[in-house]
Amino acid sequence: MSVWVFSEEVNGLPSGGSLELVSKARTLGEVAVFYVGSGSAAAWEALGNHGASSVHHLDTGDVLPSGPAAAAMADLVSDATAVMFGIGNTDRDVAGRLAARLGRPVVSNGLDVSIDGSVTVASEILGGTLGVTTEVTADSPAIVITRPKAFVAEPNGGATPTVSPVAMADSGRASTALVQEKHVEESEGPALGDADVIVSGGRGLGSADGFEMMNELAGLLGAAVGGTRAVVDAGWVPYSYQVGQTGKTVKPSVYIACGISGAMQHIVGMKGASTIIAINKDPDAPIFALSDLGVVGDVHKVVPQLIAGLKART
Amino acid sequence: MNIAVCVKQIPDPATPYELDDENHWVIRPEDQVLDDTDRSGVEIALQLAEATEGTVTLYSMSPSGSLQGIRQALAMGADAAVLVDDPELKGADALTTARVLAAAMQQQGFDLVVAGTESTDGYTGIMPQMMSEILDVPCLSFARKVDAGDGSVTIERQTADGFDVVTAPIPALITVTAGIEPRYPTFKGIMQAKSKPVTTLTSAELGISNTTHQIIRSVEPVAARAAGEIVEDEGEAYLRIIEVLEQAKVV
Ligand SMILES: Cc1cc2nc3c(=O)[nH]c(=O)nc-3n(C[C@H](O)[C@H](O)[C@H](O)COP(=O)(O)OP(=O)(O)OC[C@H]3O[C@@H](n4cnc5c(N)ncnc54)[C@H](O)[C@@H]3O)c2cc1C
């Protein structure tokens, strides 16, 4: 049984999410990886070390990957039982195009995948309130998109996989989107996705300036700073800060939500935190329903006091 | 430029959703509303149409008899709507939806397709990409800024750590994030929306059948996290926060 995993290169290495998928896929069958990026010995080693037996490598250069990657994958995965994607933007682009090309459905937002005759996916719907299992009844391969941190990236000491280059096939108009510039918006401190402590701000901070105290608090706690989609859309912080359904999924020891209402699309990204502390002036804010400690108060009072209190300890 | 915009009518998110017992599909009332996330797509389409003396046509699949959400998008300023409303399409998955909408667009013609990144109710998040493959056009996804002109479209595409500038010739499809602030419908817009043309099609007229191949086998409530302690701040709540941080061993 073969299971394919899509892996996009990030900073010269396989995306963290794709290593989670490879770790899961090796429990389901033999793992082949479709890798998009420039590629390197270190990348192949990382994929092998998580359980990939083979890597098929496509470098699309300046062409936006979705068109050529979906066209090339369609020719390769016909015998596979399942093809797994993460929820990254490029993952979704390739998964959608591949599925339409093969005429296969996609099951999205997966939290677990099992193969027993057919492919079954566990997921949560309606903002994480209902758990459902969905059986794919179409011909294989089943195409599945799973949520970040659904699986743990665990090395198993696997050998370096075989690597086969994949040529850029002509996929016509699908391949005419060109990446002209790449911009990285720097953020300070630990990476949000891996941070042990997260200080997160919402619209209740009032303005972009409100994030100054978030940064200061984060500095004192060695925390990463996150935010809601509302503050990202308002341009207060970059998209890389966004926690939630369409942003990052985080599982820190402590998540401090400041001026965040607790919309279900935000909660799905942070409800895995061990301890949740919320500060909100509205006693009925939904965030309090899942907080271990809820402070009903003004962020502009409580946060500066907290900062001063933490400073006084050191 | 002839712009096609995908819009979805959904049960009002402010009311609790219910699933039917037989198939576990969301029960869709007749008074569905426009998915808020589609307003950004309508906004971008209107701006591009204004700049190019173009037209904006809405496309929606909605096996529910609803029209309210479509009227809400027309009230923002779109010119016309094509609605595929057919009981045969109940429970349609993303691929069937993509086939239906793509077929309707091919029938009517388009230069640019605009869609949101995912719907609020189902959030599968891949329907537009499927459409782009069926329509054989490039897919410029996750746009937070869009410029069009001279037979091409250029976007700022959100990435995990920043953004890329991506360009493609039209015809093309773009998906837009909610970062683009939508306009409010004016009173005049709301009145005009009532008489704008809405073409209703069935799946048979498009030659597409419902090919959904996924079955929901079980549904169970997810155990919610229990609420903890609530303190009213009277100037000292920060001390309690520090205690909790100490218990969690982060200070
Ligand atoms: C398809 C889809 C995907 C989405 N994806 C995401 C996602 O990934 N992540 C995400 O976060 N959201 C997402 N959203 C948006 C989500 O629905 C909410 O709109 C958003 O999370 C709200 O952000 P907020 O809590 O900052 O703002 P609001 O909901 O406006 O809440 C602000 C809160 O601040 C409080 N407040 C105000 N002033 C103060 C003060 N001085 N002191 C203390 N408290 C104060 C208010 O009481 C309120 O509770 C998505 C929505 C859709 C439809």
Side-chain angles (χ1 to χ4, degrees), chain A residues 22-281:
Chain A
V22 172
S23 304
K24 172 65 187 183
R26 72 176 192 242
T27 68
L28 300 170
E30 176 150 335
V31 185
V33 169
F34 191 90
Y35 186 85
V36 173
S38 37
S40 65
W44 313 146
E45 207 176 296
L47 290 166
N49 193 29
H50 285 79
S53 341
S54 62
V55 175
H56 302 260
H57 170 214
L58 175 69
D59 187 350
T60 64
D62 293 339
V63 178
L64 193 67
S66 55
M73 274 187 101
D75 292 336
L76 290 167
V77 301
S78 53
D79 294 334
T81 306
V83 188
M84 296 173 71
F85 290 86
I87 217 153
N89 292 352
T90 301
D91 287 70
R92 279 162 62 177
D93 285 357
V94 178
R97 291 201 85 118
L98 173 68
R101 214 175 163 93
L102 294 176
R104 298 289 185 280
V106 174
V107 182
S108 196
N109 292 297
L111 293 170
D112 202 2
V113 179
S114 54
I115 303 177
D116 177 11
S118 59
V119 174
T120 301
V121 181
S123 62
E124 289 176 0
I125 59 166
L126 304 184
T129 53
L130 290 178
V132 301
T133 52
T134 306
E135 184 186 339
V136 182
T137 52
D139 292 341
S140 58
I143 301 175
V144 182
I145 296 177
T146 58
R147 293 208 51 88
K149 301 204 170 66
F151 314 112
V152 181
E154 259 171 334
N156 71 341
T160 301
T162 59
V163 180
S164 330
V166 177
M168 277 283 269
D170 177 19
S171 58
R173 290 213 300 242
S175 300
T176 54
L178 298 179
V179 178
Q180 294 183 311
E181 296 165 27
K182 283 182 175 290
H183 297 262
V184 173
E185 294 172 326
E186 296 290 347
S187 58
E188 289 167 30
L192 186 55
D194 312 317
D196 189 45
V197 182
I198 293 172
V199 173
S200 196
R203 195 144 46 188
L205 292 175
S207 69
D209 293 342
F211 272 90
E212 278 169 27
M213 63 184 185
M214 294 287 102
N215 288 331
E216 191 176 1
L217 179 58
L220 290 166
L221 296 171
V225 178
T228 63
R229 183 157 111 177
V231 299
V232 171
D233 288 346
W236 298 357
V237 291
Y239 171 64
S240 57
Y241 283 56
Q242 185 175 316
V243 173
Q245 183 182 302
T246 45
K248 296 199 166 68
T249 298
V250 297
K251 289 190 175 169
S253 308
V254 177
Y255 189 89
I256 309 182
C258 304
I260 293 178
S261 61
M264 62 185 183
Q265 294 91 356
H266 186 73
I267 289 173
V268 290
M270 46 66 80
K271 66 177 180 179
S274 313
T275 301
I276 297 173
I277 301 174
I279 306 167
N280 194 307
K281 68 176 184 188

Side-chain angles (χ1 to χ4, degrees), chain B residues 57-139:
Chain B
T57 308
L58 308 169
Y59 287 81
S60 190
M61 191 195 87
S62 181
S64 67
S66 308
L67 211 55
Q68 175 175 267
I70 304 289
R71 294 276 180 224
Q72 287 170 327
L74 288 169
M76 288 176 69
D79 299 294
V82 176
L83 175 64
V84 187
D85 187 345
D86 187 335
E88 147 90 6
L89 295 170
K90 279 214 164 90
D93 65 358
L95 184 56
T96 300
T97 310
R99 283 179 169 148
V100 164
L101 294 175
M105 285 174 195
Q106 272 162 336
Q107 200 181 67
Q108 314 275 324
F110 66 91
D111 299 311
L112 183 69
V113 181
V114 182
T117 55
E118 66 271 302
S119 63
T120 301
D121 57 346
Y123 53 94
T124 318
I126 34 82
M127 199 290 291
Q129 288 85 344
M130 290 174 155
M131 280 182 55
S132 65
E133 185 69 24
I134 298 165
L135 293 170
D136 185 26
V137 294
C139 174

Side-chain angles (χ1 to χ4, degrees), chain B residues 221-235:
Chain B
V222 174
R225 264 185 94 106
E229 168 193 352
I230 301 283
V231 283
E232 197 85 37
D233 179 46
E234 275 153 15

